[in-house]
Amino acid sequence: MREPARELFRDAAFPASDSSLFSSFSTPLAQFREEITWRRPQEICATPRLFADNPQEGQVKQGLLGDCWFLCACAALQKSQHLLDQVFPPGQPSWLERTYRGSFTCRVWQFGHWVEVTIDDRLPCLAGRLCFSRCQREDVFWLPLLEKVYAKVHGSYEHLWAGQVADALVDLTGGLAERWNLKDLARTSGHQDRPGATECRTCRQLLGLKDRCLLSCSVLSPRTGSGALGSFHAFIVSDLRELRGQAGQSILLLRIQNPWGRRCWQGPWREGGEGWSQVDAADRSELLSQLQEGEFWVEEEEFLREFDEVTIGYPVTEAGHLQSLYSGKALCHTQALPGAWVKGQSAGGCRNNSGFPSNPKFWLRVSEPSEVYVALLQRRGADGVARARAPVGDPTSFPSKDYQAVGLHVWKVEKRRVSLPRALSAPPVAGTVCHAYDREVHLRCELAPGYYLAVPSTFLKDVPGRFLLRVFSSGRVSLSRLLCLSLRAVPSSRRPRALPTGRPHPRVPADGGGLGAPSLLLQEPLLSCVPHCYTQEVSRLCHLSAGTYRIVPSTYLPDTEGAFTVTVETRIDRRSIHSQEMLGQLLQEASFMAVMKT
C-alpha cells in the first residue's frame, strides 16, 4: 500500500510571495519580480544535502542579492563547528528522511537573546536555479536556508541589500566585531594620546588572528583601474602568508575570496603575474594551487592601497566566551543591561549639551585588574522600534537612516563621595573617538579595581531610543543602573563630529573634558564657537546688553601650547556716509577696538 503524501510546511509568516522578496522595490532586484519562482531543494536537484563533506564545497557564493556583508559573516560559521551548531542546531531532518516536513529552524542573536526562527524550505529561483546565495556545490543548502532565516528576521530579502559585516557577525555569534580603517594601519606609534585610543595595528597583526576568527575586508570606492572589485563590496580574507623573497625581503600575501565567485583581480600577484618572480618556485606553486574559484592573492602594500576596511569577529571559545583580539585572554565575565534615552528625561545628547548628565548612567564595579570591553548596542529606529514586518527584525542598511549617532564614555569615580557634575567635567578614562552611526560601538580598557561610571549618549539631544549595554571582562565585574538625580549643568565642550559609517571619521578625540573652574564656568555660555575648528581665526557677531562678560579662549586638546590674539570690536550703527573722495564707496566707523595678545 502506497504511503500517503506528506503535507509539507508552508510558512504563513514569511510566504513564498513578493511580500517576502521586496520591501520597497527600490533595489535592482525589482526587475526580476515577474521571473522569480519558489522551489524546494528536492525540486532544484536530485539529492539535496544540508552540509558538504568537503568544506570547499560549502564555500559561500553571492547571487543577485546585494548581501555580501551577510555572506562574509556566514563564512565565520565554517571556521568553527560549535558556532555553526549554535546557529544551525544539529539533528534536523534532511530531505531523504521520513521525518522531513519541509521546515528548518535556526537561531539568530537579537538584542541580547538567541531567537529561534523557523522557515519552510521554499527558496527563490530563476530558471530553476537558486537566484540568491548558494554554496560552491549547488546541492548544498545550509547557506540559502540561513539566508532565508535572516531575511525573515529583517522582514524581506530586499532588506538585506547592503549592510555591515560587523552587524551580521554579532547576530551569528552573539559576540563583538571590530572594524579597522586600513588607512590607519601605517601608523607605528602604539602610545595612547587620547582616552580610549586603540592599540597600534598592523597587517601582520592579522597573521595571529587568521586561524582564530573571521577576517573580512571591504572596498568603499574602487581606485583607478580596479573597478572589477566593485564599490561598497565585502570580501573574505581566507589566508595570510609571510614569505621570504629571493632578495631576502619579507613579503606578506593575503588570499582574498570574492563572494561573487569569480576572479576579478588583475594585480601583479594574479596567476601569471610578475609578482611571483620574487619568490621561490615551490612557494609559487603551493600558493597558486590553493586558489579556489573567486580567490586571488594580493601583497600587503596593494591590499592597503585598494581596500578600505577590515572587519574582525572576536573569537568565541567552545564554552561561549569571547577572546581578546589583543591579549588572547578569555573574557569569561559578562554583564548586560538594557536602557533607553527618553525625550525630555534622559536623552541629554553629547557632552556639548548642558543636559548630558541626564543621560542614562551605569555603575561598573571592577573587582580585580581586568581587560574590559564595554559595548553599546542600539535598537533600530530612533524610537527603538523595528519597522520590519517580522517581530524579531532589526534591519540594517549602509549607512542606516534608522540608527542614531551614539557614543560611550567611562569615568573612574569614588562611589561614596562622587559629585556627578565634577566627575563628568573631568576627562574620561575611556571614550569613543566620536559619535558614530553604527549599530554598536565599544571601548577596550585596562581597568584597575574600583568603581567606574559608564554613560551612553546620542549625538543629538532629545532623541529617543533603546539600547543594550554589554560588558565583557577577563576579571570579575558587576554592572548596575544609577538612579536618575537632579544635576547641575556641566560645561559645554566641543561638538564631536558624527559622520556616516561608510565614510572615514576625522581623527579627532571627542569631548575633551570640562573646565573644572569656578561656578561661573559651570554655567551655559551665552555665546560660543562650537565646534572647535582647524582654522586660523574663529569669530562670532552678537548683540550684547550693558554689563560685564568673561571671554574664555580654548584649544580642542588639553595641554596644547600656542600664542593667540583676542580682538573685541564694537560698531556704532549709523547711516553710511557717501564720500566724493572715495568715489561713492561706503564708509563705516569703528568706535572702539581692543586687542589682547599672549
Side-chain angles (χ1 to χ4, degrees):
M1 185 175 180
R2 178 178 298 178
E3 181 181 351
R6 292 170 293 181
E7 183 176 352
L8 298 180
F9 174 64
R10 291 173 174 264
D11 187 3
F14 199 66
S17 65
D18 283 357
S19 64
S20 299
L21 289 171
F22 305 104
S23 56
S24 61
F25 298 94
S26 59
T27 67
L29 188 61
Q31 64 184 297
F32 301 102
R33 179 179 182 180
E34 303 298 330
E35 304 174 49
I36 293 178
T37 60
W38 298 77
R39 298 191 180 192
R40 297 186 190 268
Q42 64 270 36
E43 299 169 337
I44 299 174
C45 65
T47 55
R49 298 179 292 163
L50 196 54
F51 298 104
D53 298 328
N54 182 350
Q56 293 298 337
E57 295 177 349
Q59 191 173 343
V60 303
K61 291 185 68 174
Q62 185 179 356
L64 298 176
L65 190 61
D67 62 348
C68 55
W69 59 284
F70 170 67
L71 301 184
C72 287
C74 287
L77 304 181
Q78 295 179 294
K79 297 174 72 76
S80 172
Q81 186 63 45
H82 71 273
L83 288 181
L84 182 60
D85 289 344
Q86 183 171 246
V87 171
F88 231 115
Q92 303 192 55
S94 63
W95 294 270
L96 300 180
E97 298 179 25
R98 294 176 59 87
T99 52
Y100 164 74
R101 290 293 181 267
S103 65
F104 289 87
T105 299
C106 294
R107 299 190 193 106
V108 181
W109 190 90
Q110 293 284 281
F111 204 67
H113 303 283
W114 285 98
V115 179
E116 285 197 349
V117 183
T118 299
I119 56 165
D120 63 40
D121 59 357
R122 294 176 293 176
L123 299 170
C125 295
L126 273 177
R129 298 181 62 190
L130 292 171
C131 60
F132 298 150
S133 75
R134 58 191 182 276
C135 295
Q136 193 75 25
R137 281 284 301 268
E138 294 190 29
D139 61 348
V140 177
F141 284 93
W142 74 272
L143 182 64
L145 289 173
L146 182 56
E147 181 185 51
K148 184 174 183 178
V149 164
Y150 209 57
K152 180 177 180 178
V153 167
H154 286 66
S156 71
Y157 278 94
E158 195 172 44
H159 266 132
L160 301 187
W161 197 288
Q164 290 286 359
V165 177
D167 294 343
L169 277 169
V170 172
D171 290 343
L172 296 179
T173 66
L176 291 176
E178 192 163 304
R179 291 163 55 204
W180 295 0
N181 186 329
L182 288 176
K183 307 314 171 195
D184 297 333
L185 291 187
R187 298 184 179 184
T188 57
S189 174
H191 68 276
Q192 297 190 4
D193 57 358
R194 62 180 183 275
T198 53
E199 288 75 8
C200 175
R201 298 162 172 169
T202 67
C203 269
R204 277 171 171 75
Q205 188 176 350
L206 301 178
L207 279 168
L209 299 173
K210 66 173 184 174
D211 297 324
R212 298 167 50 204
C213 50
L214 176 100
L215 305 176
S216 174
C217 58
S218 59
V219 174
L220 303 183
S221 55
R223 311 297 177 264
T224 304
S226 302
L229 292 179
S231 57
F232 293 97
H233 188 45
F235 302 77
I236 300 163
V237 181
S238 49
D239 196 9
L240 291 92
R241 293 288 297 271
E242 189 169 20
L243 304 177
R244 185 66 58 185
Q246 292 182 347
Q249 78 277 25
S250 175
I251 300 175
L252 180 64
L253 295 180
L254 301 93
R255 194 170 86 216
I256 310 297
Q257 178 188 341
N258 188 346
W260 287 341
R262 62 178 185 269
R263 297 179 186 175
C264 56
W265 184 242
Q266 296 300 316
W269 295 90
R270 68 187 185 280
E271 289 189 76
E274 62 274 17
W276 295 106
S277 62
Q278 303 177 40
V279 299
D280 293 337
D283 290 332
R284 177 173 65 248
S285 177
E286 177 193 355
L287 296 188
L288 288 176
S289 68
Q290 295 176 3
L291 293 178
Q292 302 295 320
E293 185 177 357
E295 291 186 330
F296 54 93
W297 289 97
V298 296
E299 189 266 334
E300 179 182 16
E301 182 179 349
E302 59 182 331
F303 177 73
L304 293 173
R305 182 178 67 248
E306 301 296 339
F307 293 88
D308 296 286
E309 282 187 344
V310 163
T311 300
I312 307 167
Y314 277 59
V316 182
T317 67
E318 293 193 15
H321 302 310
L322 293 190
Q323 280 186 299
S324 168
L325 291 181
Y326 301 96
S327 67
K329 295 178 182 178
L331 307 175
C332 300
H333 303 270
T334 61
Q335 297 278 314
L337 282 175
W341 297 288
V342 180
K343 184 177 180 180
Q345 298 181 28
S346 60
C350 67
R351 294 182 68 207
N352 179 65
N353 296 296
S354 60
F356 177 80
S358 68
N359 280 305
K361 294 168 285 293
F362 296 82
W363 287 122
L364 175 63
R365 182 181 181 182
V366 180
S367 301
E368 53 191 316
S370 303
E371 182 179 4
V372 180
Y373 291 79
V374 186
L376 171 64
L377 173 70
Q378 60 173 319
R379 294 205 78 156
R380 179 182 185 265
D383 54 3
V385 178
R387 295 177 175 81
R389 288 191 300 106
V392 293
D394 187 9
T396 308
S397 58
F398 185 73
S400 173
K401 297 179 181 178
D402 296 303
Y403 291 134
Q404 293 297 322
V406 294
L408 178 63
H409 295 83
V410 176
W411 282 266
K412 178 74 167 67
V413 293
E414 294 292 337
K415 184 177 182 181
R416 293 183 179 180
R417 296 175 301 189
V418 64
S419 167
L420 287 177
R422 185 176 303 168
L424 298 181
S425 297
V429 297
T432 49
V433 175
C434 64
H435 285 66
Y437 288 102
D438 289 335
R439 191 179 76 167
E440 185 169 47
V441 297
H442 72 265
L443 302 172
R444 175 187 179 272
C445 326
E446 294 281 353
L447 298 183
Y451 282 96
Y452 296 83
L453 190 65
V455 183
S457 62
T458 58
F459 175 65
L460 297 175
K461 186 179 179 181
D462 287 331
V463 174
R466 293 162 62 190
F467 62 84
L468 181 70
L469 192 69
R470 300 194 288 162
V471 176
F472 304 87
S473 175
S474 62
R476 290 174 293 123
V477 293
S478 62
L479 185 68
S480 59
R481 295 184 184 86
L482 177 65
L483 297 179
C484 295
L485 299 172
S486 177
L487 300 174
R488 297 172 60 189
V490 171
S492 295
S493 180
R494 50 101 48 199
R495 186 183 303 274
R497 300 174 183 266
L499 299 176
T501 321
R503 303 175 186 174
H505 294 164
R507 280 297 166 186
V508 184
D511 304 323
L515 298 169
S519 59
L520 176 66
L521 298 184
L522 294 176
Q523 301 175 13
E524 188 72 16
L526 179 67
L527 191 72
S528 65
C529 296
V530 173
H532 285 67
C533 300
Y534 287 106
T535 59
Q536 186 176 20
E537 180 180 76
V538 293
S539 63
R540 290 295 301 270
L541 174 66
C542 58
H543 295 275
L544 301 176
S545 58
T548 302
Y549 299 87
R550 178 172 294 183
I551 300 172
V552 181
S554 66
T555 60
Y556 172 62
L557 294 174
D559 298 326
T560 301
E561 296 183 355
F564 63 89
T565 299
V566 174
T567 302
V568 179
E569 182 176 353
T570 62
R571 182 166 63 89
I572 299 176
D573 293 323
R574 58 173 62 177
R575 284 182 60 183
S576 301
I577 303 172
H578 291 271
S579 169
Q580 293 181 353
E581 287 79 5
M582 298 297 293
L583 302 179
Q585 296 182 19
L586 299 180
L587 300 179
Q588 293 182 337
E589 178 181 357
S591 61
F592 175 79
M593 177 181 292
V595 177
M596 181 187 73
K597 294 184 178 182
T598 64

